[in-house]
Amino acid sequence: MSCCMDWWDPETAAFAEKIPCSDCVRVEADFVLRRQSIPDGTIVRLGNVSKSFGRVKALDDITLDVQRGEILGIIGRSGAGKSTLIRCLNGLERPDRGRVEVLGQDIVPLPERRLQLVRQRIGMIFQHFNLLSARTVAENVTLPLKIADVPWQEREFRVQDLLSMVGMSGKASVYPSKLSDGEKQRVGIARALAADPALLLCDEPTSALDPETTLSILDLLRDINRRLGLTIVLITHEMNVLRTVADRVIVLKHGRIVEEGDVWRVFTAPEADVTHRLIGGHTSDLPSAIRTGLRNEWTRGTDLVLRLQLSGSAAGNPVLAQLTRDLDVLPVVLDASVQHVQDHALASFTVAFHDPGELLARRIGEYLASRVSRLEVLGYVQQLA
Amino acid sequence: MSSNWPDLFIKALLETLEMTAAAGAIAFLAGLPLGLVLVATASGGICEQRWLNRILGAIVNAFRAVPCIVLLVALIPLTRLIAGTSIGTEAAIVPLAIAATPYYARTAEVSLRGVDHGLIEAVKAMGGSRWTIMREALVPEALPGLLSGFTVTIVTIIGASAMAGAIGAGGLGDLAIRYGYQRFNTGIMIGIIIVLIALVSIVRFGGDCLARRFDHR
C-alpha cells in the first residue's frame, strides 16, 4: 500500500514514473473505477496534437477541450482526421507531438499497461459494432467487466441493468449474428457503458444504420448523456447526426479545426466552406433545372433567386409577407424549411422574384439584408415556369 | 495363415491411432501457440516483432518443405534423444509431430489472421491486454477455422503415418505394404483401404460437427 502512495501523486494527479507492483495495479484499478473520481470541468484536453502517417498529416496542431457532460460532435469528410483524433483520446493512436490529457493525466507517454487502465474508463462504440461473434450478447457486455476485474457476482446484475437500459433484456443469450444492425449497436453501447466509463467515444456510430434506426440510436445516446451525465465524443460525416445529438461541434479539414462552436450556431451560421458543404448549403437542394441555369449577371427577363435564412427569434418574423406588403413584389418560394436545432429555430427560404429589374433587385436586397440572419444572392435564372 | 489376420489388423489400427493421436495432440498444443505468435508478431499484429516473425516463418517453411519420409529418417538422432529409441511406434511420433506442428501452425495462422481487426481493436479499447485479446477475441473468433484446420492436420498425419513403417513403427500403411503389396494379398489391401477411408471420414465428420458447433457468425 505504501508503495502505491509513492508513485500516485494526488497533488498533480499524475503517476510518477515507477513500475507498480501487482498490489499497486489493483489499487490503481480501484482508483480509476471509482465513479466519484471523475473530475469536474474538463474531461479531455488536447494540446497541440499532431500526427502524421508517412507524409500525410492526419492531425495538425489540434487543441481542444471536452467538458464534462457534453456531447461533442466532430465532423469532417473522410480523410479529415476524425478517426485518428478520436483514437488519440483512448491511446489507440499515439500522437507524434502534443499532449492528450484524459481525466487530468497526459496519456501520451504512458506505457501500454497503464494505458490499458485508462482505457478501462473510456467506452467506445464503432461503425461496424465490433461485437464478438463467438460470444452471446450478455458475454459481450460482460467482457469489459471481466477486464476491469469486477467480481462475477456483480457482473451479472450489472449486465442485466445495462441490457435493460438499452432495451435488449430479452436477447441476453442470443448471438450477435441473430441481431439487426440497430440491435447490434445497442449491445455495443451497453458494452461500452459496462465498466462505468467517464467518457464515451463514438466512431461513426450510425453510419451503417438506416435513417430510422439512426434516430433511435441517437435518442439512446442523448438519453444516456442526460441520465448519467456521461460525456460523449462522437465523430460522423453526417451533419444531421450532430444536429440531433450534439451540444458542440468541431469541424475538421485536412487535420485542422476549421470551425468550432455550439451546434445551433454552427448549423445556423456556418463560417467555413467545408461546414457549408457538409450542411448541404448553397445550391445543392435546388432543382437541377434552376441550379444549372443560374447566371451571375442580370439580363432582361430573368428571375432573381435569393436564399435567406432566419435563425433564433428572427425565425418567427413574417419577413416574406412584409416584403410583399412594403415593396409590392411577389416572391415565389422554390424551397423552404424550418428546422429546430437544440430549441433554436432555423428557417430557410429560397425565393425567386420575377424579372425585377436592376433597381428593384437592389431594393429587395437592401430590404432583406437588414431583416434576415443571412442573405445569399444565388443568381439570375431564365424565366421560371 | 489367415488365422492371425484380425490380430494383425487391430494391432496395426491401434498403432496408427496411437501415432495420429499423439502427434496430433502435440501438433495442436505446439502449433496453436506458434500460429498465435506468427500472427501477433506480424506487421500490424498485436505485438509486432518483424525479425522474430521472419525467423519463425523461415523455420516453419523449412520444415514444411521437407517431405515427411525424409524427416522420419533425418530426425533419427533427435528421436533417439527424445524417445530413447529410433525404431517403433513411439519413435515415429517424434518426427510426425515435428512435421505436423509447422503444418498446423500455418493453418492456425490463416484462421487467426482472418479475425476482423475491428474486434481486436474493440477489446483493446476496453483496456484488454494482449493476452486478453488472444483469449477473448483471436482464439474464440477463429475457433471454427482452428478446428477444421486441425481436422485437416489429423488427416495429413494419418497419411504420413503410413510411411512410419520405414522406421519400424507399424501401422496400417506398413501392413498394406508388407502384406497387401509385397505378399500380393489383395484382400487385406482392400480391407486396409476401407478402414483408412472410414477413419478419415470419421475424423472429417467429427471435425466438421465441432467446427459448426462453434460457428456463430
Side-chain angles (χ1 to χ4, degrees), chain A residues 87 90 92 112 116 119-120 122 124 126 130-135 143-144 146-147 175 177 191, chain B residues 116-119 121-130 132 135-137 140-141 214 216-217:
Chain A
R87 289 156 52 84
N90 62 356
L92 286 179
E112 188 65 23
Q116 282 162 12
R119 287 194 193 121
Q120 289 175 14
I122 304 175
M124 190 166 189
F126 305 86
N130 293 353
L131 299 178
L132 298 172
S133 71
R135 301 273 195 247
L143 187 53
K146 220 163 143 185
I147 290 173
Y175 285 94
S177 58
R191 185 176 70 174
Chain B
D116 180 3
H117 193 78
L119 302 181
E121 188 157 89
V123 179
K124 213 172 160 189
M126 290 173 205
S129 60
R130 288 173 187 142
T132 311
R135 202 187 49 208
E136 302 291 343
E141 291 296 320
F214 287 104
H216 299 289
R217 276 170 296 189

Side-chain angles (χ1 to χ4, degrees), chain A residues 93-150:
Chain A
E93 209 76 75
R94 247 179 236 268
D96 301 333
R97 261 177 299 117
R99 292 171 62 81
V100 179
E101 278 176 38
V102 178
L103 305 172
Q105 181 189 5
D106 186 8
I107 64 166
V108 177
L110 286 188
E112 188 65 23
R113 243 175 90 203
R114 298 256 189 81
L115 208 49
Q116 282 162 12
L117 292 169
V118 175
R119 287 194 193 121
Q120 289 175 14
R121 299 247 41 207
I122 304 175
M124 190 166 189
I125 59 172
F126 305 86
Q127 178 175 1
H128 297 294
F129 326 119
N130 293 353
L131 299 178
L132 298 172
S133 71
R135 301 273 195 247
T136 62
V137 164
E139 286 165 347
N140 264 285
V141 179
T142 313
L143 187 53
L145 299 172
K146 220 163 143 185
I147 290 173
D149 271 335
V150 174

